[in-house]
PDB file of all heavy atoms in Angstrom:
ATOM      1  N   ALA A 785      45.326 -43.315  -0.973  1.00 96.00           N
ATOM      2  CA  ALA A 785      44.783 -42.574  -2.114  1.00 96.00           C
ATOM      3  C   ALA A 785      43.259 -42.590  -2.092  1.00 96.00           C
ATOM      4  O   ALA A 785      42.607 -41.553  -2.321  1.00 96.00           O
ATOM      5  CB  ALA A 785      45.303 -43.169  -3.413  1.00 96.00           C
ATOM      6  N   LEU A 786      42.671 -43.744  -1.806  1.00 97.00           N
ATOM      7  CA  LEU A 786      41.209 -43.843  -1.760  1.00 97.00           C
ATOM      8  C   LEU A 786      40.641 -42.911  -0.692  1.00 97.00           C
ATOM      9  O   LEU A 786      39.618 -42.253  -0.915  1.00 97.00           O
ATOM     10  CB  LEU A 786      40.782 -45.288  -1.470  1.00 97.00           C
ATOM     11  CG  LEU A 786      40.962 -46.308  -2.585  1.00 97.00           C
ATOM     12  CD1 LEU A 786      40.585 -47.700  -2.099  1.00 97.00           C
ATOM     13  CD2 LEU A 786      40.142 -45.936  -3.813  1.00 97.00           C
ATOM     14  N   PHE A 787      41.286 -42.855   0.463  1.00 96.00           N
ATOM     15  CA  PHE A 787      40.808 -41.978   1.537  1.00 96.00           C
ATOM     16  C   PHE A 787      40.848 -40.521   1.094  1.00 96.00           C
ATOM     17  O   PHE A 787      39.869 -39.782   1.262  1.00 96.00           O
ATOM     18  CB  PHE A 787      41.654 -42.180   2.801  1.00 96.00           C
ATOM     19  CG  PHE A 787      41.195 -41.338   3.959  1.00 96.00           C
ATOM     20  CD1 PHE A 787      40.146 -41.747   4.761  1.00 96.00           C
ATOM     21  CD2 PHE A 787      41.804 -40.120   4.241  1.00 96.00           C
ATOM     22  CE1 PHE A 787      39.702 -40.970   5.828  1.00 96.00           C
ATOM     23  CE2 PHE A 787      41.374 -39.331   5.303  1.00 96.00           C
ATOM     24  CZ  PHE A 787      40.313 -39.759   6.094  1.00 96.00           C
ATOM     25  N   ASP A 788      41.977 -40.094   0.532  1.00 95.00           N
ATOM     26  CA  ASP A 788      42.085 -38.709   0.065  1.00 95.00           C
ATOM     27  C   ASP A 788      41.040 -38.401  -1.001  1.00 95.00           C
ATOM     28  O   ASP A 788      40.433 -37.327  -1.009  1.00 95.00           O
ATOM     29  CB  ASP A 788      43.490 -38.462  -0.514  1.00 95.00           C
ATOM     30  CG  ASP A 788      44.555 -38.391   0.568  1.00 95.00           C
ATOM     31  OD1 ASP A 788      44.199 -38.205   1.749  1.00 95.00           O
ATOM     32  OD2 ASP A 788      45.751 -38.531   0.229  1.00 95.00           O
ATOM     33  N   ILE A 789      40.822 -39.353  -1.891  1.00 97.00           N
ATOM     34  CA  ILE A 789      39.862 -39.158  -2.984  1.00 97.00           C
ATOM     35  C   ILE A 789      38.447 -39.038  -2.434  1.00 97.00           C
ATOM     36  O   ILE A 789      37.684 -38.146  -2.834  1.00 97.00           O
ATOM     37  CB  ILE A 789      39.959 -40.312  -4.000  1.00 97.00           C
ATOM     38  CG1 ILE A 789      41.278 -40.224  -4.782  1.00 97.00           C
ATOM     39  CG2 ILE A 789      38.773 -40.292  -4.964  1.00 97.00           C
ATOM     40  CD1 ILE A 789      41.600 -41.468  -5.571  1.00 97.00           C
ATOM     41  N   VAL A 790      38.072 -39.925  -1.511  1.00 96.00           N
ATOM     42  CA  VAL A 790      36.715 -39.884  -0.951  1.00 96.00           C
ATOM     43  C   VAL A 790      36.473 -38.566  -0.218  1.00 96.00           C
ATOM     44  O   VAL A 790      35.399 -37.957  -0.349  1.00 96.00           O
ATOM     45  CB  VAL A 790      36.479 -41.079  -0.011  1.00 96.00           C
ATOM     46  CG1 VAL A 790      35.157 -40.914   0.739  1.00 96.00           C
ATOM     47  CG2 VAL A 790      36.454 -42.384  -0.791  1.00 96.00           C
ATOM     48  N   VAL A 791      37.457 -38.104   0.553  1.00 95.00           N
ATOM     49  CA  VAL A 791      37.300 -36.851   1.289  1.00 95.00           C
ATOM     50  C   VAL A 791      37.065 -35.686   0.333  1.00 95.00           C
ATOM     51  O   VAL A 791      36.129 -34.898   0.494  1.00 95.00           O
ATOM     52  CB  VAL A 791      38.529 -36.576   2.181  1.00 95.00           C
ATOM     53  CG1 VAL A 791      38.502 -35.150   2.719  1.00 95.00           C
ATOM     54  CG2 VAL A 791      38.571 -37.568   3.341  1.00 95.00           C
ATOM     55  N   ILE A 792      37.924 -35.570  -0.692  1.00 96.00           N
ATOM     56  CA  ILE A 792      37.800 -34.464  -1.648  1.00 96.00           C
ATOM     57  C   ILE A 792      36.511 -34.589  -2.456  1.00 96.00           C
ATOM     58  O   ILE A 792      35.758 -33.619  -2.616  1.00 96.00           O
ATOM     59  CB  ILE A 792      39.021 -34.425  -2.592  1.00 96.00           C
ATOM     60  CG1 ILE A 792      40.302 -34.139  -1.809  1.00 96.00           C
ATOM     61  CG2 ILE A 792      38.818 -33.371  -3.677  1.00 96.00           C
ATOM     62  CD1 ILE A 792      40.360 -32.788  -1.163  1.00 96.00           C
ATOM     63  N   LEU A 793      36.235 -35.788  -2.965  1.00 97.00           N
ATOM     64  CA  LEU A 793      35.043 -35.998  -3.796  1.00 97.00           C
ATOM     65  C   LEU A 793      33.766 -35.701  -3.017  1.00 97.00           C
ATOM     66  O   LEU A 793      32.840 -35.079  -3.546  1.00 97.00           O
ATOM     67  CB  LEU A 793      35.026 -37.434  -4.313  1.00 97.00           C
ATOM     68  CG  LEU A 793      33.819 -37.847  -5.162  1.00 97.00           C
ATOM     69  CD1 LEU A 793      33.716 -36.990  -6.423  1.00 97.00           C
ATOM     70  CD2 LEU A 793      33.903 -39.332  -5.530  1.00 97.00           C
ATOM     71  N   THR A 794      33.707 -36.117  -1.761  1.00 96.00           N
ATOM     72  CA  THR A 794      32.512 -35.883  -0.944  1.00 96.00           C
ATOM     73  C   THR A 794      32.274 -34.393  -0.734  1.00 96.00           C
ATOM     74  O   THR A 794      31.134 -33.915  -0.802  1.00 96.00           O
ATOM     75  CB  THR A 794      32.633 -36.595   0.409  1.00 96.00           C
ATOM     76  OG1 THR A 794      32.926 -37.975   0.194  1.00 96.00           O
ATOM     77  CG2 THR A 794      31.331 -36.490   1.194  1.00 96.00           C
ATOM     78  N   LYS A 795      33.339 -33.655  -0.497  1.00 96.00           N
ATOM     79  CA  LYS A 795      33.195 -32.208  -0.312  1.00 96.00           C
ATOM     80  C   LYS A 795      32.759 -31.528  -1.610  1.00 96.00           C
ATOM     81  O   LYS A 795      31.988 -30.564  -1.584  1.00 96.00           O
ATOM     82  CB  LYS A 795      34.507 -31.620   0.191  1.00 96.00           C
ATOM     83  CG  LYS A 795      34.833 -32.014   1.625  1.00 96.00           C
ATOM     84  CD  LYS A 795      36.102 -31.351   2.135  1.00 96.00           C
ATOM     85  CE  LYS A 795      36.356 -31.707   3.599  1.00 96.00           C
ATOM     86  NZ  LYS A 795      37.560 -31.029   4.137  1.00 96.00           N
ATOM     87  N   ILE A 796      33.241 -32.011  -2.747  1.00 97.00           N
ATOM     88  CA  ILE A 796      32.828 -31.442  -4.035  1.00 97.00           C
ATOM     89  C   ILE A 796      31.340 -31.706  -4.288  1.00 97.00           C
ATOM     90  O   ILE A 796      30.604 -30.835  -4.754  1.00 97.00           O
ATOM     91  CB  ILE A 796      33.674 -32.031  -5.181  1.00 97.00           C
ATOM     92  CG1 ILE A 796      35.135 -31.568  -5.069  1.00 97.00           C
ATOM     93  CG2 ILE A 796      33.101 -31.618  -6.549  1.00 97.00           C
ATOM     94  CD1 ILE A 796      36.074 -32.259  -6.030  1.00 97.00           C
ATOM     95  N   MET A 797      30.878 -32.911  -3.957  1.00 98.00           N
ATOM     96  CA  MET A 797      29.492 -33.294  -4.231  1.00 98.00           C
ATOM     97  C   MET A 797      28.504 -32.704  -3.236  1.00 98.00           C
ATOM     98  O   MET A 797      27.301 -32.645  -3.516  1.00 98.00           O
ATOM     99  CB  MET A 797      29.358 -34.824  -4.220  1.00 98.00           C
ATOM    100  CG  MET A 797      30.134 -35.539  -5.295  1.00 98.00           C
ATOM    101  SD  MET A 797      29.693 -37.299  -5.436  1.00 98.00           S
ATOM    102  CE  MET A 797      30.060 -37.888  -3.772  1.00 98.00           C
ATOM    103  N   ALA A 798      28.984 -32.285  -2.061  1.00 96.00           N
ATOM    104  CA  ALA A 798      28.089 -31.893  -0.969  1.00 96.00           C
ATOM    105  C   ALA A 798      27.055 -30.833  -1.333  1.00 96.00           C
ATOM    106  O   ALA A 798      25.897 -30.940  -0.910  1.00 96.00           O
ATOM    107  CB  ALA A 798      28.916 -31.441   0.239  1.00 96.00           C
ATOM    108  N   PRO A 799      27.393 -29.783  -2.106  1.00 96.00           N
ATOM    109  CA  PRO A 799      26.359 -28.791  -2.441  1.00 96.00           C
ATOM    110  C   PRO A 799      25.225 -29.349  -3.299  1.00 96.00           C
ATOM    111  O   PRO A 799      24.149 -28.758  -3.352  1.00 96.00           O
ATOM    112  CB  PRO A 799      27.144 -27.720  -3.214  1.00 96.00           C
ATOM    113  CG  PRO A 799      28.561 -27.881  -2.770  1.00 96.00           C
ATOM    114  CD  PRO A 799      28.725 -29.352  -2.577  1.00 96.00           C
TER     115      PRO A 799
END
Side-chain angles (χ1 to χ4, degrees):
L786 288 176
F787 182 83
D788 287 343
I789 290 167
V790 171
V791 168
I792 296 295
L793 178 61
T794 306
K795 290 183 177 182
I796 293 171
M797 296 191 302

